Amino acid sequence: MEVLSTARAFGGTQGVYRHASVVTGTDMTFAVYVPDHAPGAKLPVLWYLSGLTCTHANVMEKGEYRRACAEHGIVFVAPDTSPRGDDVPDDEAYDFGKGAGFYVDATQEPWARHFRMRSYIEQELPALVAAEFPVDRDRQGITGHSMGGHGALTISLRNPGRFRSTSAFAPIVSPMNCPWGEKALGGYLGEDMSSWRQYDACALIKQGARLPDLLVDQGTADNFLDTQLKTQLLDEACRKADMPAQIRMQEGYDHSYFFISTFMDEHIAWHAERLNK
């Protein structure tokens, strides 16, 4: 693991790191904030998955999470959203290819070799973080924005008991039922829609997957709400499954980091309550 940069912030250390990923076959960059702590202490960790076009830098520079993480003693990890590099295939559109990994393991060419973000987030990066940082792997939470909210929901639903807490900001709740998701899942996984269901939060809940509780914030002025995010589908799925969920519609907020940073403190406090029990 290579240290690209470190800086002091709120009594902790914000770092950016790079490593050679076996899973993606590329170098991968990620950000980690570690609050100051007693020698030998193991801290709970909150994973943050970013949205379309983003890297680790978007939330690191605009998410305003460090003060709350320092207050609650939580390590904050922000991975990239896709493999990068000159040899990595790409698409001209912003919603497919680099910056749009959708947290799936691709099966279709030319994407299958490098676009394995599910395995990277579920397996490889957690092992590296646990080896290099003072984290308690028994106290993990996960959150994310938009495409990253989709990633947080589906990863947590597929791995029962692994995450003590799950939240999301304006998530894509049913990729099988929106243009972003149909393009991504079709392109990465092929035409057989049965393989798509493992990457659709609403489908997973309908199939019996459950979370102990869930927090979602969604802005009412989000221009993607009706066509891409479709929050009501998640609300309906949770109600039908009798799965506890706080799905909060925030009046006047859009899809930007102005929205995310407004409610970041509340999400971190919500995670801390569950991670520090």
Side-chain angles (χ1 to χ4, degrees), residues 5-266:
S5 67
T6 60
R8 292 289 288 167
F10 297 101
T13 301
Q14 175 66 68
V16 178
Y17 308 90
R18 180 167 58 206
H19 73 113
S21 168
V22 175
V23 167
T24 68
T26 66
D27 285 347
M28 296 294 291
T29 302
F30 62 100
V32 181
Y33 177 73
V34 181
D36 282 356
H37 55 281
K42 296 289 188 179
L43 305 180
V45 57
L46 179 60
W47 296 84
Y48 178 91
L49 307 185
S50 292
L52 287 167
T53 75
C54 291
T55 69
H56 68 281
N58 295 76
V59 68
M60 186 179 75
E61 295 169 358
K62 298 182 287 188
E64 301 182 26
Y65 55 83
R66 281 171 285 267
R67 184 189 297 274
C69 285
E71 176 186 348
H72 296 288
I74 292 175
V75 174
F76 190 96
V77 181
D80 202 347
T81 55
S82 78
R84 311 275 178 176
D86 294 340
D87 296 333
V88 175
D90 199 9
D91 188 86
E92 293 181 356
Y94 75 95
D95 56 356
F96 195 72
K98 293 180 185 178
F102 261 83
Y103 305 99
V104 307
D105 279 355
T107 59
Q108 304 299 299
E109 297 300 335
W111 315 102
R113 178 182 176 188
H114 297 295
F115 281 75
R116 302 184 59 212
M117 291 303 294
R118 171 183 178 174
S119 292
Y120 179 71
I121 298 297
E122 289 187 353
Q123 300 171 27
E124 186 177 32
L125 187 57
L128 177 65
V129 167
E132 298 286 346
F133 297 94
V135 300
D136 183 348
R137 296 190 72 170
D138 291 329
R139 292 190 291 160
Q140 296 190 76
I142 192 167
T143 187
H145 170 232
S146 194
M147 178 186 73
H150 138 76
L153 293 174
T154 54
I155 288 170
S156 190
L157 285 163
R158 284 196 308 265
N159 293 274
R162 179 169 177 177
F163 299 96
R164 291 192 184 183
S165 54
T166 306
S167 75
F169 301 89
I172 303 170
V173 305
S174 184
M176 295 178 69
N177 292 289
C178 73
W180 279 342
E182 291 168 2
K183 178 178 181 178
L185 299 182
Y188 293 135
L189 304 177
E191 297 180 357
D192 181 5
M193 294 184 67
S194 64
S195 66
W196 298 11
R197 299 183 67 82
Q198 62 188 312
Y199 298 110
D200 186 297
C202 292
L204 288 167
I205 292 170
K206 291 176 183 177
Q207 290 173 185
R210 296 290 183 269
L211 300 174
D213 54 11
L214 172 65
L215 174 63
V216 172
D217 275 313
Q218 171 64 59
T220 62
D222 190 323
N223 58 325
F224 300 116
L225 176 57
D226 294 334
T227 57
Q228 303 282 10
L229 308 177
K230 301 189 176 182
T231 310
Q232 78 279 1
L233 296 180
L234 179 63
D235 185 49
E236 292 169 4
C238 291
R239 291 179 184 277
K240 289 180 180 178
D242 198 26
M243 190 182 92
Q246 297 180 60
I247 300 177
R248 310 189 302 191
M249 302 302 295
Q250 302 292 358
E251 189 65 32
Y253 284 90
D254 61 15
H255 200 67
S256 73
Y257 269 89
F258 295 112
F259 156 65
I260 298 166
S261 62
T262 298
F263 299 100
M264 181 65 83
D265 283 5
E266 293 183 24

